[in-house]
Amino acid sequence: MASPRLRVSRRALLAGLAVGLGAGPAFAASKRHKTKSAAKEPVPDPAADGTPLAFPPVVDLKDGETCDLVAAPADHAFLAGHPVPVVGYGGTYMGPVLRVRRGTRTRVRLVNRLDRPTNVHWHGLLVEGRFDGGTTPPVAPGGTWEADLAVDQPAATLWYHAHVHGRTAQDVHDGLAGLLLVEDDVSAGLGLPATWGVDDLPLVLQDRALDAGGRPTYVETAAVMNHGFRGPDMVVNGIAHAVAEVPGRLVRLRLLNAAGARTFRLFFEDRRPFRLIATDGGLLAEPSELSVLVMAPGERAEILVDFAEGAGVLLTAPDEHEHRDGPKAMLLPDVVDRPTRVLAFRTVRDERPTAVLPARLVDLPPLPTAAATAELRQRRFELRMTGASPAPTAPAAHDLHVMGHAGMTRGPGGVGELAEPPPIGTINGRTFASGRIDETVRLGTSEIWEIVCPDMAHPFHAHGVHFRVLSEDGDLPKAWNRGVKDTVRVENSARLLITFTRPADAERPFVYHCHLLEHEDAGMMGAFTVA
Ligand code: C2O
Ligand code: CU
Ligand code: CU
């Protein structure tokens, strides 16, 4: 059991609050279970090697309470036995899982013990603009900021992270992110697997470039700004080569893509099917059977996986990252060219009966008819990177591949020498300007937002709202883009039905932006008020 994060968390944060220490002990207690197999010769166990997965501590935020969320330096071992300095909340890499119940109101006080200014945004939580954190001026080292979180939305797996413009990619890379769970009676009554850390597992997925000492390296070059940082090492809850022990029955995985740039195309090595039960904003109307799940940065998904058939290995395909137009029409292969192991699962004996998956989950409001949507206010957003063409003599794809590997992990001499001008992110031709309001929206209304991505796919995210994807390139949305969303990977174009239920003024507007964090930092962001 990787105990450092648990030990630190005890000493840590959140005075006056019960700190549930996740479910780590489940691992120590469980015994290895031999998988049923007809073969006589020993079956190689793909999950035999690896570091036991650990879970962040859970902090229950009770109605009327105030808790401190302390952004501070910490030590963390991505590679077992190699602790390195990182940052996070409450003394851990990333931070605790903040758990709130629908109908409660709590205050969270951000305490900055870092040597850099910071703020915090509640990604997917519907709160007023002044508490959303997206445009909160960074808090100086030693300073504090308080958010009043009145929670009124369905159960969902959300997250929080630093949101200082121009620094978000680096800060999230360094560890300033954590999970935020909303719970409600509806989801609790469905009989879904709900034993935290046993059959209900939070999995925060990130890619990192770890050096031999286990230190994650992030070098911001023009090419990284342009395409986003990618690393060859997958970490889950901050652990590389992780192995999770799971009971041999139905298990709920709460997935968060907290990578800065990489889209994960997830599947099990044995191609076992699984059921998607929730997306960003909560449960789907009904489960959807899949064997592949695509998740862009910022997105969450909850799946149910049956481990009655034994061990499994979750993989991700290489990330196809493509620029389509004109001089940028080149394929930048990912840092890996074959599927990468994300997490291995080892099945352990468990006597409890498996959960029965309900056929229906929750009631979602029906989507409006085409005639009804035609009545709504329409806005169009075109996302582009500019000033980011390759050097006149564009390197061959092979060189880019090599540089993708070496340049990013070793810094100068690689991608940084490409002589690209610093890229600028734009939406509708404008780069983000603090203080400028790009859109003004009426509180209580719904609108159709059309997102257009002419040069490459971008994960579009908006603060303070939830939306439904009405169509992608004119077709029905993909399975993982159904349900209630706040972030969506837009390949070419998508039409979103957005409802504005929380106010935001010009002082602390909401923002919409690309959640490829380097693009966000490069200005692919706009601000909107809701009144
Ligand atoms: Cu994950 Cu602007 O947010
Ligand atoms: Cu957000
Ligand atoms: Cu983007």
Side-chain angles (χ1 to χ4, degrees), residues 229-320:
F229 168 84
R230 282 139 220 259
D233 305 301
M234 283 298 309
V235 301
V236 181
N237 299 345
I239 295 171
H241 314 298
V243 184
E245 289 194 349
V246 288
R249 52 189 162 89
L250 215 50
V251 172
R252 176 184 193 168
L253 305 180
R254 298 175 188 256
L255 303 159
L256 160 64
N257 182 346
R262 183 163 167 169
T263 292
F264 298 119
R265 185 173 290 271
L266 300 164
F267 57 95
F268 285 89
E269 192 173 43
D270 60 5
R271 309 293 154 133
R272 73 179 60 196
F274 51 84
R275 297 232 172 51
L276 179 72
I277 57 166
T279 53
D280 298 336
L283 292 163
L284 299 172
E286 57 208 21
S288 156
E289 183 168 312
L290 300 175
S291 54
V292 174
L293 169 66
V294 175
M295 294 184 75
E299 288 187 302
R300 288 87 62 211
E302 296 182 34
I303 60 174
L304 292 183
V305 188
D306 191 349
F307 288 103
E309 292 302 312
V313 179
L314 183 63
L315 301 173
T316 182
D319 176 17
E320 297 111 41

Side-chain angles (χ1 to χ4, degrees), residues 383 385 456-459 514-517 519-520 524:
L383 280 58
M385 290 299 283
M456 59 173 280
H458 298 277
C514 177
H515 217 287
L516 194 159
L517 297 178
H519 288 182
E520 175 186 347
M524 195 180 287

Side-chain angles (χ1 to χ4, degrees), residues 324-325 328 378-386 424-432 436 438-439 448-461 490-494 496 512-514 519 522-526:
R324 284 189 292 269
D325 69 335
K328 284 185 288 188
Q378 323 265 321
R379 298 181 206 247
R380 186 176 186 276
F381 300 87
E382 190 175 294
L383 280 58
R384 275 183 186 275
M385 290 299 283
T386 62
I424 298 165
T426 65
I427 296 183
N428 292 342
R430 287 194 302 252
T431 194
F432 179 72
R436 186 189 67 217
D438 298 285
E439 308 290 336
I448 303 297
W449 283 20
E450 185 180 14
I451 316 302
V452 182
C453 298
D455 56 355
M456 59 173 280
H458 298 277
F460 179 84
H461 169 56
V490 179
E491 309 257 355
N492 298 287
S493 71
L496 315 178
Y512 48 84
H513 59 85
C514 177
H519 288 182
M524 195 180 287
M525 179 155 77

Side-chain angles (χ1 to χ4, degrees), residues 121 123-124 461 463:
H121 160 59
H123 180 134
H461 169 56
H463 290 214

